Amino acid sequence: MPSGGYQWRLKSCPEGLVLESEKYAEPPPERVVGAAAVRVFTFLAKVAGSYELTFHYGRVWESAVARSHAVQITVAPVHQA
C-alpha cells in the first residue's frame, strides 16, 4: 500500500490482553501516495477488566513520535449458552 511511511503502532500490550493481529483494511480504490488508510488491531482478552491502550503515530525508522492516542476499553466475560 503506498504511504508516506507513517503508521499507528501499539506502544505496549497490557498484561491480560494479547495482540493477535494488526493489518490494513482494504485500501481505497484510488492508490494515492500518502493517502489515509485504516489499520485494524485485533486483541484477545485473557482476563476481564479495564485496560488502557496507547498508540503512537510515526515512522518505524524514526525515534520521534508524531502523535500519541490513548484509548480506554473494558472487557466483560461472555457467557456461552
Side-chain angles (χ1 to χ4, degrees):
M1 164 173 305
S3 75
Y6 286 91
Q7 63 179 329
W8 285 102
R9 296 183 311 263
L10 180 65
K11 179 181 175 188
S12 62
C13 195
E15 203 167 310
L17 295 180
V18 175
L19 177 61
E20 287 210 316
S21 68
E22 55 182 293
K23 61 184 180 180
Y24 286 101
E26 290 298 316
E30 66 285 345
R31 292 175 131 334
V32 178
V33 174
V38 175
R39 192 163 176 90
V40 178
F41 294 83
T42 304
F43 296 90
L44 172 66
K46 297 283 190 178
V47 180
S50 294
Y51 299 96
E52 180 175 284
L53 302 171
T54 302
F55 297 90
H56 287 173
Y57 185 68
R59 293 177 169 144
V60 294
W61 62 87
E62 296 177 345
S63 59
V65 173
R67 287 191 323 198
S68 288
H69 184 72
V71 178
Q72 291 284 343
I73 63 168
T74 300
V75 178
V78 175
H79 299 285
Q80 297 183 356

